[in-house]
Amino acid sequence: MSEAKDITRGGQFLVKETKCEDVFTPEDFSEEQIMMRDTVKEFVDRELWPHKDRFENKDYAYTKECMEKAGELGFLGVAVPEEYGGLGMGFVSTMLVCDYISGATGSFSTAFGAHTGIGTMPITLYGTEEQKKKYVPKLASGEWFGAYCLTEPGAGSDANSGKTKAVLSEDGTHYKITGQKMWISNAGFCSLFIVFARIEDDKNITGFIVENDPSNGISMNEEEHKLGIRASSTRQVFFNETKVPVENMLSERGNGFKIAMNALNVGRIKLAAACLDAQRRTISGAVKYANERIQFDTPISSFGAIRSKLAEMAASAYAGESACYRAAKSIEDRIEVRVAAGESHQDAELKGVEEFAIECSILKVAVSEDIQNCSDEGIQIFGGMGFSEDTPMESAWRDARIARIYEGTNEINRMLSVGMLVKKAMKGHVDLLGPAMKVAEELMAIPSFDTPDYSVLFAEEKELIGKLKKAFLMVAGSAVQKYGPDLDQHQQLLMAASDILIEIYMAESVILRTEKLAKSKGEENVKEQIAMAQLYLYRAVDTVNTKGKEGIASFAEGDEQRMMLMGLKRFTKYTNMPNVVALKETIAAKLVDENAYVY
C-alpha cells in the first residue's frame, strides 16, 4: 500500500497544509455524475416536490410508492456492487444521489436514507456471500425494503446497552430474539430488519438479519406522531421469541456494536449530504418570495436586513457543499487505494469510511445545524406566511429538526470528533503532539511584526486558517496534557474544542474550493463565491475566538491563562478585516438577480 502514503489520512487536515488542487469540488463532477444528478432532480421535481401535501398529511403509502419508483430508476442501488444488482457507483456518486434526492421532503429522504444506508449497507459490508446473494438484489431493486433496529427505550446514545436478547435454540439451528425496539424508520412497510441483540451476557451486541414475518413473533405499535418527517413510517417493533436461523447472524458474535458504529459513520456523511439540496431549495424559495413580496412600495429583497439573511444562508450552504464533497472524495480515494492493494471492496469501503470518521462527525454536526438555521431564516423572510402550512417553509423547518438528533446526536458527534482525533494521535496516525509543542514554543517567542504580502487571492485567508489550527492545537494540546485519558469526562471543554475543529474543516474546505474555482475561471468571474468563502471564514474566526476563550477559561488560570488568551488573540486576528456588509451585498445581489440559489 505504498501509494496510500500520499493520501491524507482522516484528521490530518489539522496538521497538514492542503493544496486547492488536491481537493475535489462540485465543479469537478464528471459528465456521468452530472447526468445522474439531473436524473435525480427530475425525479424529485416530478414525484416529490409537487406532492409535498401528501407527505405532510402522513400518506405513508405514497412514501412507499415513491420508494418503489426510486428502485425502478436504480437510485436504491447506487452504492450496491454490480454483482448484487446495484449500480456499483463510487462514493462521491452515492453522495450526489443522496444529496439531490433529499431536497424536497424529509419524509422521503429519511425513508431513502434508512433503506439504502443502515437497511442495506450492513449486509453489503458485513454479510456473507450467501446473505448478500439472497437479500441485497431485492433491496437494491426496491422489491424489498430494509429497516434498522438498534434504539431501545433504555438505549439511545448508549447504543451498546440494549436489553434485547438472542437465545440459541437447543438444537443449535436458530436464535430466538426477544425485545423492544423504538423509532424504527420504514418499519411499516419493510421486508427485513437489521436487528441488534445480546447473546447471553456478552459485552457487545450482535447483529442479525430478520425477515419481517408477523407470524414469527413480530408485532408493531401504531405510527408515531412526530414534529416533522410525517410520512416517514416510524414505529416501535416488538420481538417475541422470533426465530432467526443461525446463518442469519451478521458478521460474527459480539460484532454488532462495531457494525452499528461503522454504519453510523457512513450514515453521518450521507446525512450531511441529505441536508444540502434542502438548503438550496429553501434559499431559492426565500429569494423568490422576497422578490415578489412588496412592502413600502418596494420588493423586500431590496432591504438590507433581508439581503443579509440571504447572504448568510447562501454562504453556509456553499461551505457545507464544499466540505461534504471534499470528504467524500477523500473516502473514495482511500477505498480505491485499498482495492488496488488487493482488499475486497467490502473491507476497503469499511476501512475507507472508518479512516474519515472524524470528518463524518464534523459534517453531520455542521450541515444539520446549517439546514435548521436556513429553514428558520426562510420562515422569517416569509414573515407571517412562513408560519403557515400553505408555504413550504414551516415543513422544511420541522423536517430539519430531526437531523440534529439521528445518526448520533450533535452533542455525541461533537465529543466523538475530538475524542477520535486524540485517539488517532495516541496511535501515531496523526501527529498532534509535535505541532502542539511548536505552538507552545511560538507562544513564548516574540511575534513577527513584518507586513506579509497578501497580493495573491486568499493569501491572508489561508494564513488565518493556519492560525486557527494553531488555536485548536493550543487549546486541545494543553487540555490533553492536563487531563490525559480523563479528557472525555470534561464534556463542556470537548464541545468547545470540537466547535473550533468543525469551523477549521468547513472554512478550509470553502476557501480551497473557491481558490481552485478562481484559478480555473478567473477571479473576476467568481466574485460571489469569493465573497461567500470570505464571509464564512469571518464567521468561523468569530466562533474560534469565542469557543477558544471558553475552553481556556475552563482549565487554565494565572499566567498560563493569560499567555493562552494572548495566543488566541494573535491566532484570530486579521491584518485586513473584511468589509462584511460589502461581502453580503455582493452575495445577495447575485441571488436576487438570478431569483434563485445558483452555485
Side-chain angles (χ1 to χ4, degrees):
M1 275 187 58
S2 55
E3 287 173 80
K5 290 190 180 70
D6 304 329
I7 293 184
T8 304
R9 298 193 73 133
Q12 270 186 344
F13 69 89
L14 194 62
V15 291
K16 275 181 95 164
E17 190 182 341
T18 306
K19 293 188 170 70
C20 72
E21 292 79 12
D22 295 337
V23 296
F24 180 86
T25 74
E27 289 75 33
D28 299 321
F29 290 146
S30 65
E31 275 180 38
E32 184 193 34
Q33 285 169 329
I34 289 167
M35 271 170 55
M36 193 70 185
R37 180 192 69 190
D38 292 346
T39 309
V40 172
K41 278 166 81 169
E42 197 182 300
F43 168 76
V44 172
D45 287 334
R46 187 181 65 241
E47 304 293 347
L48 307 181
W49 193 257
H51 303 292
K52 268 184 89 88
D53 55 330
R54 293 184 71 170
F55 293 105
E56 293 316 304
N57 291 325
K58 305 186 181 182
D59 190 341
Y60 303 107
Y62 190 62
T63 301
K64 185 185 180 194
E65 191 184 312
C66 291
M67 283 287 287
E68 284 163 352
K69 286 177 181 165
E72 285 161 24
L73 291 166
F75 300 151
L76 302 181
V78 283
V80 171
E82 289 176 52
E83 60 265 39
Y84 308 112
L87 298 178
M89 288 186 150
F91 199 83
V92 172
S93 298
T94 68
M95 280 281 283
L96 188 66
V97 172
C98 190
D99 170 353
Y100 282 91
I101 211 160
S102 302
T105 161
S107 296
F108 181 82
S109 70
T110 300
F112 177 85
H115 170 76
T116 56
I118 50 184
T120 305
M121 198 179 49
I123 307 178
T124 50
L125 295 186
Y126 286 97
T128 60
E129 197 53 39
E130 292 71 32
Q131 288 169 346
K132 287 190 282 192
K133 281 188 175 137
K134 182 174 180 184
Y135 294 114
V136 176
K138 289 178 176 171
L139 293 166
S141 67
E143 180 190 338
W144 278 27
F145 294 113
Y148 179 85
C149 298
L150 178 63
T151 306
E152 298 183 13
S157 296
D158 184 5
N160 203 29
S161 65
K163 303 271 187 286
T164 298
K165 285 279 180 202
V167 179
L168 188 62
S169 62
E170 285 179 8
D171 61 4
T173 59
H174 58 270
Y175 283 92
K176 290 179 187 165
I177 292 184
T178 301
Q180 173 186 2
K181 299 288 182 178
M182 68 192 298
W183 309 126
I184 307 307
S185 298
N186 296 353
F189 58 82
C190 74
S191 321
L192 70 75
F193 301 102
I194 306 291
V195 181
F196 295 91
R198 195 177 308 278
I199 301 171
E200 294 169 358
D201 292 322
D202 286 1
K203 179 174 176 250
N204 290 324
I205 50 182
T206 299
F208 296 90
I209 302 168
V210 182
E211 294 183 24
N212 184 8
D213 172 6
S215 69
N216 184 19
I218 299 176
S219 58
M220 295 183 200
N221 269 8
E222 287 305 299
E223 292 285 353
E224 299 284 353
H225 299 290
K226 308 185 295 290
L227 172 70
I229 56 169
R230 287 182 169 172
S232 152
S233 172
T234 313
R235 294 183 168 194
Q236 288 196 41
V237 182
F238 301 90
F239 299 97
N240 184 11
E241 302 218 326
T242 301
K243 291 180 179 176
V244 185
V246 287
E247 59 269 23
N248 273 29
M249 182 187 284
L250 198 52
S251 183
E252 57 208 46
R253 178 170 173 171
N255 222 12
F257 186 60
K258 195 172 180 187
I259 296 172
M261 291 305 100
N262 280 329
L264 288 175
N265 284 335
V266 186
R268 281 165 187 154
I269 188 168
K270 295 281 176 76
L271 176 62
C275 296
L276 294 174
D277 199 47
Q279 285 181 78
R280 296 185 200 103
R281 286 174 185 261
T282 300
I283 296 164
S284 291
V287 172
K288 285 184 177 70
Y289 184 81
N291 276 336
E292 287 160 14
R293 174 73 169 159
I294 308 293
Q295 290 291 280
F296 312 104
D297 298 329
T298 315
I300 64 169
S301 61
S302 64
F303 298 142
I306 300 291
R307 291 167 88 85
S308 170
K309 290 183 188 302
L310 293 172
E312 297 275 9
M313 291 155 80
S316 290
Y318 177 68
E321 189 182 57
S322 309
C324 280
Y325 286 104
R326 173 192 182 182
K329 187 68 166 86
S330 297
I331 291 170
E332 184 170 292
D333 289 345
R334 181 57 74 169
I335 292 168
E336 283 172 5
V337 164
R338 287 182 168 276
V339 169
E343 285 188 24
S344 70
H345 189 275
Q346 210 167 340
D347 289 341
E349 184 148 333
L350 269 173
K351 291 284 195 308
V353 175
E354 199 175 345
E355 177 65 53
F356 289 93
I358 294 166
E359 287 80 353
C360 293
S361 279
I362 285 172
L363 290 166
K364 190 272 179 185
V365 173
V367 190
S368 67
E369 292 180 2
D370 286 341
I371 179 56
Q372 187 82 61
N373 295 335
C374 181
S375 55
D376 195 69
E377 291 288 38
I379 289 179
Q380 198 68 11
I381 289 166
F382 271 68
M385 282 307 293
F387 207 68
S388 162
E389 287 189 1
D390 294 338
T391 62
M393 288 298 156
E394 69 87 41
S395 65
W397 184 86
R398 285 187 291 98
D399 282 355
R401 188 61 189 84
I402 186 62
R404 284 157 52 199
I405 297 170
Y406 57 21
E407 309 290 356
T409 66
N410 283 11
E411 290 71 23
I412 289 278
N413 274 291
R414 277 187 160 88
M415 290 184 285
L416 267 176
S417 59
V418 179
M420 289 188 289
L421 187 62
V422 171
K423 277 203 183 92
K424 280 197 146 200
M426 305 283 189
K427 284 183 183 169
H429 291 180
V430 177
D431 177 21
L432 282 190
L433 218 59
M437 299 289 278
K438 278 203 186 102
V439 174
E441 284 162 24
E442 191 178 323
L443 287 180
M444 308 298 285
I446 297 164
S448 157
F449 293 105
D450 298 344
T451 309
D453 174 17
Y454 290 140
S455 54
V456 178
L457 176 69
F458 289 142
E460 179 168 4
E461 285 81 358
K462 283 160 72 176
E463 184 183 279
L464 199 48
I465 285 170
K467 292 196 293 193
L468 296 184
K469 292 177 182 181
K470 288 178 182 177
F472 177 84
L473 290 165
M474 174 181 73
V475 174
S478 303
V480 170
Q481 274 182 316
K482 181 144 192 166
Y483 298 120
D486 296 334
L487 184 62
D488 58 359
Q489 304 302 310
H490 299 267
Q491 291 194 350
Q492 295 187 48
L493 173 57
L494 281 174
M495 301 276 280
S498 76
D499 279 338
I500 300 174
L501 187 66
I502 288 166
E503 291 305 336
I504 290 167
Y505 189 72
M506 302 301 287
E508 182 177 65
S509 300
V510 74
I511 295 285
L512 292 174
R513 173 190 183 177
T514 312
E515 184 188 8
K516 189 175 186 180
L517 191 59
K519 282 183 177 178
S520 68
K521 290 196 167 175
E523 285 177 43
E524 64 288 352
N525 299 317
V526 292
K527 288 196 307 289
E528 296 81 15
Q529 287 94 326
I530 291 170
M532 288 193 287
Q534 290 172 330
L535 177 61
Y536 191 90
L537 177 62
Y538 175 79
R539 293 275 172 252
V541 170
D542 241 8
T543 302
V544 172
N545 196 10
T546 305
K547 297 295 178 177
K549 277 191 276 200
E550 193 181 305
I552 292 164
S554 75
F555 69 83
E557 45 197 28
D559 286 347
E560 185 194 13
Q561 187 188 85
R562 275 191 290 280
M563 178 76 77
M564 288 176 80
L565 288 172
M566 273 168 56
L568 182 67
K569 198 171 175 183
R570 198 193 300 176
F571 296 146
T572 53
K573 186 170 179 278
Y574 277 93
T575 304
N576 305 290
M577 280 291 268
N579 179 341
V580 176
V581 172
L583 292 180
K584 291 198 275 195
E585 189 45 47
T586 300
I587 300 162
K590 176 82 165 174
L591 294 168
V592 169
D593 282 353
E594 299 276 357
N595 203 26
Y597 177 85
V598 287
Y599 303 105

